[in-house]
Amino acid sequence: MGGDDRHGAVIPTLLDLLEIPYTGAGPMCQNVVLRKHFTSQVLRAAGIPTPPSVLLPSKTQARSDDLAATGTIGYPLFLKLEETDGSVGVSNSSLVQTDEELVRQVAYLRDRYSQPILAERFIAGREVYVSMLGNSPARLLPMQEIDFSKLPRTFPHIVNENAKWKAGTPEYAAISSVVARPLPSPVRERIEQVVRRTFEILEVRDYGRCDIRLAADGTPYVIDVNSNCDLSEGAGYVRSAELAGMAYDQLIEQIAIVALQRSAHVQRQRTQTRHRSTGSTG
């Protein structure tokens, strides 16, 4: 939609109006998850752990204002664009440790992207991806985690734009997702509870992925929710399904089936509502 991620809700809105079944999240969910700070506020209000954060405006403001806003959180901070996905704008410079690093990176992001900037506390620890399939109840696929072990020592442990999209860069070659290493049962159960509740609150449906940073004390912090994740062969979501014993064609078929089942339920509800409305006027 004009190359602007913020228009991601337009298509499901039109499909809903036309009563055409489709896979994946509806317009409300799409609108929310593409606004990271708002997503964090919604989850935090429901008791879901998210990193402390503040939203900096897209327009340049006084250095002292940026420092005052982020000073309530403290370093290290992780800076990312509020209204885009795919790690666009995320680089090694996104992890800032000092006032000078913060001011420099915020200025760069404002000048390059003209978007609000989310500044959140950086949670050092394991990064775990949890994928979901189906509805009521959703099925959680085997967990994966990001392997940072091959990164050069001076590189921060973050998944930046290079790692996702730019072949030939050190990050692209070094960072990969692997089967999650064993977790203590209480920690795994807590992660699953947080992820299920996150999907429920945001109305993620049919398929989706939740990214978790696991703090040293075992707290699972939600750092991203992807309600429209990559379904191409070889993508992280597909690898999770393969770990569950599902071939690619089976996965795509299953997503279509759960979406049709959900749509059929909605259609029945609409038909019943129309019948009641017709009866009340008749």
Side-chain angles (χ1 to χ4, degrees):
M1 297 298 294
D4 191 333
D5 290 338
R6 291 171 295 182
H7 300 322
V10 172
I11 295 301
T13 299
L14 293 174
L15 293 173
D16 280 346
L17 287 171
L18 296 171
E19 299 186 7
I20 297 174
Y22 59 94
T23 60
M28 189 285 290
C29 178
Q30 292 286 66
N31 265 321
V32 172
V33 299
L34 282 174
R35 288 157 177 81
K36 298 179 179 65
H37 186 56
F38 184 55
T39 299
S40 178
Q41 289 178 311
V42 170
L43 294 178
R44 196 176 303 136
I48 301 297
T50 64
S53 62
V54 63
L55 190 63
L56 303 177
S58 58
K59 293 183 179 180
T60 301
Q61 62 179 7
R63 168 193 172 110
S64 58
D65 291 338
D66 287 333
L67 294 178
T70 56
T72 60
I73 303 173
Y75 296 109
L77 287 171
F78 188 53
L79 305 178
K80 51 190 177 183
L81 300 174
E82 164 70 357
E83 298 172 344
T84 191
D85 58 11
S87 294
V88 173
V90 175
S91 69
N92 290 340
S93 298
S94 296
L95 180 59
V96 298
Q97 305 274 1
T98 66
D99 290 355
E100 291 305 319
E101 290 178 354
L102 170 71
V103 170
R104 182 167 57 248
Q105 185 64 11
V106 166
Y108 166 76
L109 291 174
R110 281 176 173 147
D111 181 64
R112 175 73 183 275
Y113 298 100
S114 300
Q115 275 196 33
I117 300 160
L118 179 66
E120 66 181 18
R121 171 75 61 78
F122 177 68
I123 307 298
R126 296 169 63 178
E127 187 163 326
V128 179
Y129 290 173
V130 187
S131 297
M132 172 273 287
L133 174 64
N135 307 293
S136 300
R139 174 187 179 185
L140 298 185
L141 301 176
M143 295 182 189
Q144 298 187 78
E145 72 175 289
I146 300 300
D147 181 6
F148 295 108
S149 64
K150 297 178 183 178
L151 271 178
R153 289 185 179 181
T154 56
F155 283 43
H157 286 191
I158 60 175
V159 181
N160 60 22
E161 190 171 4
N162 285 350
K164 287 189 176 180
W165 309 112
K166 297 184 180 180
T169 62
E171 299 96 325
Y172 190 91
I175 296 176
S176 61
S177 59
V178 298
V179 179
R181 289 176 284 124
L183 290 160
S185 295
V187 174
R188 175 176 285 273
E189 290 171 5
R190 177 61 175 148
I191 291 174
E192 291 177 349
Q193 290 171 356
V194 164
V195 169
R196 287 186 182 279
R197 183 68 176 139
T198 295
F199 289 145
E200 178 186 0
I201 292 168
L202 299 178
E203 298 184 9
V204 180
R205 64 194 192 191
D206 303 341
Y207 67 97
R209 195 187 76 208
C210 185
D211 299 353
I212 299 287
R213 274 274 179 167
L214 196 59
D217 64 359
T219 300
Y221 287 89
V222 176
I223 60 170
D224 194 24
V225 181
N226 194 329
S227 62
N228 190 27
C229 48
D230 187 355
L231 295 179
S232 60
E233 290 190 75
Y237 182 89
V238 175
R239 289 198 297 274
S240 288
E242 290 172 348
L243 291 173
M246 299 182 68
Y248 184 68
D249 57 345
Q250 292 174 320
L251 171 65
I252 299 304
E253 180 182 57
Q254 189 60 35
I255 291 173
I257 288 172
V258 298
L260 285 170
Q261 290 172 338
R262 170 181 53 76
S263 298
H265 176 69
V266 171
Q267 291 294 337
R268 285 195 298 271
Q269 288 182 324
R270 287 174 175 168
T271 300
Q272 291 170 359
T273 300
R274 288 170 182 155
H275 286 167
R276 286 196 296 269
S277 176
T278 303
S280 65
T281 60

